Structure formats: structure tokens, C-alpha cells
Amino acid sequence: MQGKESTSRRFRFWRVPLFRLLAINLGIGIALAALVVGGLLAINPGGLRDLIFADSSPGTALGLLLFGFIVTFGSTAMGTAIMAMGQPQADGDKPPRGTPTLATQPIGRGAARAGARH
């Protein structure tokens, strides 16, 4: 019984929707980064593949290149998912707080004095 309880505690964080959203999008970013690095190695722009594999430790260069792309694409995918959370899901959905409107704001020298009088 003890083992089952510790396992359920260990995977409890997967039930949190925000964590799942971030983990899924991080995985998407990692997959995209691996595709880009693989594509760069396949295309060999400017002799990049030859330069990496001519080194005495190509794993270090590949690891650093992959890590940079993972940070870039992973954070982009996670940030995009967070920013898209507030958008309506379907075309028929209305914005949560009504229609946005613009408010006028006086500017210039007279605006500071006008604001002080109110």
C-alpha cells in the first residue's frame, strides 16, 4: 500500500493543467529543436557538419547547439501557449469582459493642469 501511495504523490503534478500545458509545449519545442539541428546537419550550411565532426569531441558541440535550440524553441512554444490561454476557444465565443473600447486621454501642457483641477 505504501508503494502505491508514493507513486500517486509522485505523479500528482501531472493533474495540474498549467503544468501539463507547459510540459507538452516544452516537448513540442524539444522535438522542433531536434528537427532543426538534424536539418542543419543534413543540409551542412557553410560546412557546419564537417566542422562539428572534425572536432575531437563532437558530442560537446552538438550538445551545446541542441541545448541552445531547445532553450529557444521550448521557451517560445511555452510562451505562446501561455499567451494563447486568454483567447476565446470558438468563433462564437465572446470576449470575457465585453467589447474593448478606446478611451480618450488629453495630452500636452494643458492636460497636466486639467488633471490637477479635477
Side-chain angles (χ1 to χ4, degrees), residues 8 11-20:
S8 67
F11 295 110
R12 188 177 297 167
F13 60 87
W14 285 111
R15 294 182 186 152
V16 179
L18 182 61
F19 182 80
R20 272 198 326 260

Side-chain angles (χ1 to χ4, degrees), residues 18-53:
L18 182 61
F19 182 80
R20 272 198 326 260
L21 175 79
L22 292 176
I24 289 168
N25 283 283
L26 178 61
I28 291 169
I30 289 172
L32 188 59
L35 281 172
V36 168
V37 169
L40 282 174
L41 291 176
I43 294 172
N44 196 19
L48 180 66
R49 179 184 59 213
D50 301 330
L51 182 66
I52 289 174
F53 289 116

